[in-house]
Amino acid sequence: MSTIADNIGVVSQRIRAAAEAVQRDPDSVHLLAVSKTKPAQAVREAYAAGLRDFGENYLQEALSKQVELTDLPLSWHFIGPIQSNKTRAIAEHFAWVHSVDRLKIAQRLSEQRPAELPPLNICIQVNVSGEASKSGCTPADLPALANAISALPRLTLRGLMAIPEPTDDRAAQDAAFATVRDLQASLNLPLDTLSMGMSHDLESAIAQGATWVRIGTALFGARDYGQP
Ligand SMILES: *Cc1c(COP(=O)(O)O)cnc(C)c1O
């Protein structure tokens, strides 16, 4: 059985090869380890193997893991759907939020970000798969949302996030990620982040400009959502 450290080696090599294939600096692609459903011990192992950034989708799970890991200098990213009643805890306990898709949520995060913390890094989740996905703002709504969020005082709008419909067709992967990249470029804002690419499609995402790839399965193994 491969260890988490082994898996990190494999994924890092995939990132490096994908970046070099398109003449990108591999260090311009950051690895976000998606630890949802995995125990704190798995995060500890990934930390020991060099990772610092961890992504979580479920607030209560993330908060209890953070409590178990307070001894480690980790950077936490919230990447799941956000309900209004969760914004305060997210504003208090995360460095990044990748999944903002409406202004009301952004306004609450800005109002609730504690004064002693640096501004919260934000990506707008954009839906590039149409009907196939319910999360993410539409490309049509993106410019107004991006402009409004970039004016909020306690947030720093960094870029876009997308989860295209899963497919093994490389051309379809490329087309979806290129759409995200082009949408970001069309905004005319000082953005430096494209959060896109997961275990099965990181090569395509990197070819189209990803700066964060969000990797769960390839690092920690398959997730088990069943009851123990
Ligand atoms: C679960 C999840 C991932 C990781 O997906 P894998 O296919 O396991 O790499 C990435 N991004 C988001 C938003 C997720 O919910």
Side-chain angles (χ1 to χ4, degrees):
M1 227 184 86
S2 59
T3 66
I4 290 171
D6 294 335
N7 295 343
I8 292 171
V10 171
V11 168
S12 301
Q13 185 47 42
R14 282 176 66 191
I15 291 171
R16 175 164 297 274
E20 286 172 351
V22 293
Q23 283 81 50
R24 288 187 60 193
D25 176 359
D27 292 337
S28 69
V29 184
H30 306 287
L31 174 54
L32 178 61
V34 176
S35 45
K36 66 179 179 217
T37 81
K38 300 296 177 182
Q41 182 55 30
V43 174
R44 220 170 257 291
E45 282 178 52
Y47 172 84
L51 300 192
R52 296 293 178 270
D53 290 272
F54 292 86
E56 291 279 344
N57 296 52
Y58 311 107
L59 181 63
Q60 289 315 320
E61 179 193 344
L63 296 180
S64 49
K65 233 174 272 185
Q66 288 178 2
V67 168
E68 289 183 69
L69 295 164
T70 42
D71 56 311
L72 302 183
L74 304 178
S75 184
W76 291 97
H77 299 233
F78 195 82
I79 63 173
I82 305 171
Q83 298 155 278
S84 295
N85 63 349
K86 302 286 167 60
T87 53
R88 183 175 299 281
I90 292 171
E92 290 174 353
H93 294 283
F94 289 82
W96 285 74
V97 180
H98 292 233
S99 46
V100 172
D101 63 1
R102 55 197 199 278
L103 185 58
K104 180 186 171 196
I105 295 295
Q107 286 167 333
R108 291 174 65 93
L109 290 171
S110 181
E111 284 160 16
Q112 295 167 344
R113 180 68 167 171
E116 67 275 14
L117 294 180
L120 184 57
N121 295 296
I122 299 290
C123 294
I124 297 175
Q125 183 174 354
V126 60
N127 177 2
V128 293
S129 300
E131 304 268 294
S133 167
K134 288 175 192 67
S135 301
C137 83
T138 65
D141 289 340
L142 177 63
L145 180 59
N147 286 324
I149 291 179
S150 48
L152 293 173
R154 298 292 294 138
L155 306 182
T156 301
L157 180 62
R158 299 294 298 269
L160 303 184
M161 183 275 245
I163 312 173
E165 202 179 350
T167 170
D168 293 332
D169 176 4
R170 174 65 192 254
Q173 294 174 359
D174 285 348
F177 290 131
T179 300
V180 183
R181 179 200 61 213
D182 293 347
L183 282 169
Q184 192 207 46
S186 73
L187 292 176
N188 282 315
L189 290 167
L191 305 178
D192 61 7
T193 298
L194 280 172
S195 169
M196 57 189 198
M198 310 186 353
S199 293
H200 68 287
D201 58 9
L202 71 87
E203 282 82 5
S204 169
I206 290 169
Q208 304 307 323
T211 63
W212 281 105
V213 289
R214 307 179 311 271
I215 309 299
T217 308
L219 294 176
F220 299 114
R223 286 179 292 274
D224 179 5
Y225 290 97
Q227 298 302 312

